[in-house]
Amino acid sequence: MSMTGEIDEGFYSRQLYVLGHEAMHRMSNANVLIAGMRGLGVEIAKNVILSGVKSVTVQDEGQTNWTDLSSQFFLKESHLGQNRAMCSLQQLSALNPHVCVSANTGTLDEVLLLQFQVVVLTDSSLDDQKRFGEFCHSKGIKFIVADTKGLCGQLFCDFGDNFEVLDADGETPASAMIQSISKENPGIVICTEDREHRFSDGCQVSFSEVQGMTELNNMPHVEIKVRSQYSFSIGDTSNFSEYERGGIVTEVKQSSVFHFKPISEALLDNDLLKMNDFGKISRHMTLHLAFQALHSFVKKEQRLPRPRCQSDADDLLATVRELNTVAQLQELDEAAVRILSYTAQGDLAPLNAFIGGLAAQEVIKACSRKFTPLQQWLYFDALECLPEEEDQLAECPFPAKGTRYDGQIAVFGSEFQEKLWRQKYFLVGAGAIGCELLKNFALIGLGAGEEGHITLTDMDFIERSNLNRQFLFRFQDIGKPKSEVAAMAVQVMNPEMNITAHQNRLDVDSEQVYDYKFFMGLDGVAAALDNVEARVYLDGRCVQHQKPLLEGGTLGSKGHTLVVVPHLTESYGPAKSSSNDSIPLCTLKNFPHRIEHTLQWARDQFEGLFKQTPENVNLFLSDTGFVERTLGHSDAEALEVLGGVWSSLVDMKSGGQRPTSWEDCVRWARCKWETLYNNDIRQLLHCFPREQVTNTGLPFWSGSKRCPHPLIFDPNNTTHLEYVVAAANLYGQIYGIKGATDCTSMRKILEKVHVQTFTPKSSVKIHLTDKEMEEEKGRESDDTEKALLEELKGKLASLKSSAMQMYPIDFEKDDDSNFHMDYIVAASNLRAENYNIPAVDRHQSKGIAGRIIPAIATTTAAVAGLMCLELYKLVQGHQKISSYRTAYINLAVQYFVLSQPSPPQPFEAVCKAGIPSILWGVGQIIAVC
């Protein structure tokens, strides 16, 4: 956030698609205190700073010790004995230049707390939690407690007596086009069948553009009752006018008010526990008591229970049983209490990453009033990470050794740490999840021994929009290879890391690098990829070489993790078809009714005008077989391609479209505007007049078909001129002609442009369905088309010249100076105006047309943490499928589903030799027979 209050869209690009501008503006006024700078505290601070609040103060009185290095990624061995907050300050400040970060090394008190809107306590006593919790509740300060002990975590929220949430889930309001509305009580609304309406019972909706029954357009919102996926009922419409045609129904988001109890009261209310693994209900109820008992133990003994100490575990369990005389839990998970005692001195980076991601998301909710807050307790455990054989949990000392891994050794022991050092892993991707995984790898010591190694590959280079969530990168790294910078960053975190950075794309072309020998030398693979195709390919390679795979992904506040274990679980599997999301070509070409349609149309225009045609010209100039190959397609397609090549090579004075000056580029852009937004629309209305009816007597222009109107060019209309400026500059670029942006001189050129008169033709046929379009392509061409092709072929034969080479443009959404998004926004909004579709701003256009995946650091951190908890299990060598977890989470609405992965599904795929194949089986078919 800048000093003027404007949001830095380049930096916050992907997060804005999660939170939106209004929520981020609210966040920019929030001052946040985070107390405790051990591993959990720094994880929360990192995520909150990246999110873009006004200020973050980190408070800690303590000094760095060896255990801190197990999970505090901004502390080094040179910081031992120094204050944790001060040692972390420089690195935290460098994460986000828009956030003021400061450190406080004094005692936590009420005077300090009054300076903040949100207070987060980590590594705190129960007495402090109650004292400061009561104070914050009374003063309207949002209060959060987060804690981790070994393999168990705790989270608590208190946002006051009345906390208003403006948007509970962050989802785009559902909308649908109307097919018909009955005049009765209740009125039945039937939506068009191009997609399901996605409304739910009781939700509020508003109507617009309804013709006939216009009374609905004036109603602020209406409650609905869903009847089917395409229909719903509303109130009494019997006294309304008769419905004629058209209309859009849109969900109206409602605010919600949440009521929180202060922590002292909430401790006694088991109904406030949010479950996340329904196989562990009794365990998490028990952990609610066990954490309280742990505070009592520390207060009495002035220390945490010793690792694997039976007597300390007995004392803790006795306290839990005493607390249960009041809580009256029907079932106590006493084994979990003992394990908590055995491992309480542990400090694990993956668990801190998960709980830290959740806690930071709650801070964002408190500051932005967006998304549903936690009410009010959450407990999490990953006790399955311990050895599957219970006798291995018997009493044995895990003494601190004065190493950076002491916090991990306190949970798993030295032998397990040595296993981690020896691991050889392949990490594919150094983006958001890749950076978080590398951080965890460095902290846990994966591949950090003499025999261990991490191979990292990522072909991308660092961009400004990456910095908001790919926290290993800084502004000075922009333009550098992601893999190299990420590898160097984690070697600073842990100098013992053995890591090699590659810049290879993982596909068939890199199989000479990542071959059989490479895969057989691995212990496992981690996927941090952003597309399904690459995941499927990597999954296939892992199945082929019988290697475990850790896979995770995010979409805004949603995330998933999957662990693939050879011979035990199903694999990621083949790509699922997404054909249901595709837009019919006839809709794009003639009948758009949503802004997504006009944006896709604009992208198609961009690709055709500024990329495909120049590429075809260059192929024609360099490839002697280009013309013959093109003639092998349908005559209509060959005419379009070769006609485009000819016109691109012949200057305008000779009847072509090749410019020789900047003025020619402006002339072309103006004429293109006329063709797209006036002539084509007039031709469409000539074929299908406004009052046309179908064979059944219904209006042709109804339902999902919006009746368009032609536009009249106005050089003083901002959008009209923006189109011409962007189109002319892009047209100049593909011919190597320098452009300009001065609107005054542009208008002078436009005054001299002659626009030819257009008359619609009755011979033009416009297809109503994609099937009709395909049938048209398949028909035999007439003599006229064949004659035109022969003529074109002769003309092109005399045009070859290397001096005529063109410069195709690859679409790049994140460069605001290249005219790409300028063109897309103007082209789309003009077409939207043609069809009376509400226009959208540049930010929304960029997200849709650029196919941007919404992303936020909190979800990324949580997903990477869960993946690394599964990594522990793989290194342990777990053989029970019940030990592993597949996760689906949505931090926006506190949705957590952690479940046992599915076993491999038996199937047969018989090759020519008749050999059956079963996934992970001996008869697995690896190559085509």
Side-chain angles (χ1 to χ4, degrees), residues 71 282 351 419:
S71 65
S282 65
L351 192 71
K419 275 188 181 180

Side-chain angles (χ1 to χ4, degrees), residues 162-222:
N162 296 288
F163 179 71
E164 184 183 25
V165 172
L166 302 178
D167 184 349
D169 59 14
E171 300 293 334
T172 302
S175 67
M177 297 198 70
I178 298 169
Q179 184 69 48
S180 66
I181 307 175
S182 67
K183 190 177 176 181
E184 57 182 318
N185 186 13
I188 307 300
V189 179
I190 299 177
C191 303
T192 58
E193 296 186 357
D194 61 313
R195 65 175 181 178
E196 298 175 8
H197 58 59
R198 298 189 295 119
F199 299 127
S200 57
D201 257 352
C203 83
Q204 305 283 322
V205 299
S206 64
F207 291 85
S208 61
E209 301 182 35
V210 175
Q211 297 181 39
M213 198 178 284
T214 55
E215 294 89 344
L216 287 172
N217 296 331
N218 301 319
M219 300 178 70
H221 49 79
V222 179

